[in-house]
Amino acid sequence: MQDYKEEFIEFMVESNVLKFGSFTLKSGRQSPFFMNAGAYVTGSQLKRLGEYYARAIHDNFGDDFDVVFGPAYKGIPLSVVTAMAYAELYGKEIKYCSNRKEAKDHGEGGNLLGYTLNDGDRVIIVEDVTTSGKSIEETFPIITGAADIQVKGLMVSLNRMEVGKGGQKCALDEVAELYGFPTAAIVTMAEVTEYLHNRPCQGRVVIDDAIKADIDAYYQTYGAK
């Protein structure tokens, strides 16, 4: 595993973004872990988050893109900090773009925030986590309807590796199959579990044998094939 992946795992725990215990998800599933990207709230946290996204995008998709698109609302800051980090780390100017939940009817108007998409633009979508693919279902028609663009990939921070709506593949694989562009995550839940199992992190073990058994049992039921 690359060093930045290990750093990112510790960063999620340190930032109280990734927690372990018992959590009821929107789907009704009882999960032994929970991720809340809304817990990244400080300037230094956001700076580091953008750097991890930029590194993962560079590793998985290369430099063949022009725009980072972040679906509203959590994707808005992600697109901004990723574009900033990419310029700093790789010396390439990347534009940011997001959608508005409600179209603006004054000023420049429209339902896009930031850069205005143009024909021929190559776009990377950034999200915090994809559980069902619903946000892509909502935003893909918006960006492809705005201009003749090409989506080069989707990057999320954590691949939960659970079955999506189809009941067989994980949501990231379903998105890739349905929309025809590659998907990737900074880390997978398998990498998180392997790295943190019985390893002290921030002065404590967050995945002990009991939590590991709960995670294994969860994936026996909900894990993607």
Side-chain angles (χ1 to χ4, degrees), residues 3-223:
D3 289 345
Y4 77 84
K5 286 176 173 276
E6 297 178 353
E7 292 171 10
F8 183 67
I9 293 169
E10 296 200 12
F11 174 58
M12 286 193 291
V13 175
E14 169 194 326
S15 303
N16 212 29
V17 166
L18 183 61
K19 302 178 183 181
F20 299 90
S22 181
F23 306 92
T24 302
L25 306 180
K26 285 183 180 180
S27 62
R29 296 174 183 175
Q30 201 69 24
S31 173
F33 60 92
F34 181 70
M35 179 191 168
N36 174 26
Y40 296 119
V41 293
T42 71
S44 61
Q45 286 175 335
L46 290 169
K47 182 178 185 296
R48 289 179 65 186
L49 182 62
E51 291 170 352
Y52 291 125
Y53 267 89
R55 290 179 183 177
I57 288 170
H58 186 266
D59 277 4
N60 286 273
F61 305 132
D63 291 326
D64 189 27
F65 69 102
D66 317 289
V67 184
V68 175
F69 177 84
Y73 287 101
K74 288 183 179 179
I76 296 175
L78 286 181
S79 62
V80 173
V81 297
T82 301
M84 293 171 66
Y86 218 90
E88 182 175 339
L89 292 177
Y90 302 109
K92 179 169 182 174
E93 289 288 7
I94 299 297
K95 308 171 188 72
Y96 95 92
C97 179
S98 295
N99 65 301
R100 306 176 191 270
K101 288 289 189 180
E102 303 83 20
K104 188 177 179 183
D105 59 4
H106 61 280
E108 76 278 13
N111 60 357
L112 293 180
L113 177 70
Y115 173 70
T116 300
L117 294 171
N118 291 304
D119 290 351
D121 283 336
R122 301 160 300 172
V123 179
I124 296 288
I125 302 172
V126 290
E127 284 197 311
D128 55 347
V129 64
T130 295
T131 303
S132 67
K134 183 178 179 182
S135 64
I136 298 298
E137 182 180 326
E138 294 173 348
T139 58
F140 186 76
I142 294 174
I143 59 176
T144 54
D148 183 16
I149 59 100
Q150 179 184 6
V151 177
K152 301 292 291 186
L154 165 67
M155 179 61 65
V156 303
S157 57
L158 175 67
N159 183 354
R160 289 183 61 99
M161 302 175 65
E162 299 171 39
V163 290
K165 292 187 293 185
Q168 293 291 325
K169 300 178 179 179
C170 73
L172 277 182
D173 289 341
E174 286 185 348
V175 167
E177 188 174 278
L178 182 61
Y179 295 100
F181 53 76
T183 59
I186 301 176
V187 292
T188 68
M189 199 58 208
E191 291 172 326
V192 170
T193 304
E194 179 183 358
Y195 181 74
L196 288 179
H197 184 211
N198 285 334
R199 180 194 296 267
C201 180
Q202 302 300 309
R204 59 196 174 96
V205 173
V206 294
I207 299 183
D208 57 17
D209 289 339
I211 295 291
K212 174 66 162 52
D214 289 343
I215 293 172
D216 290 345
Y218 183 77
Y219 281 107
Q220 283 292 322
T221 303
Y222 299 115

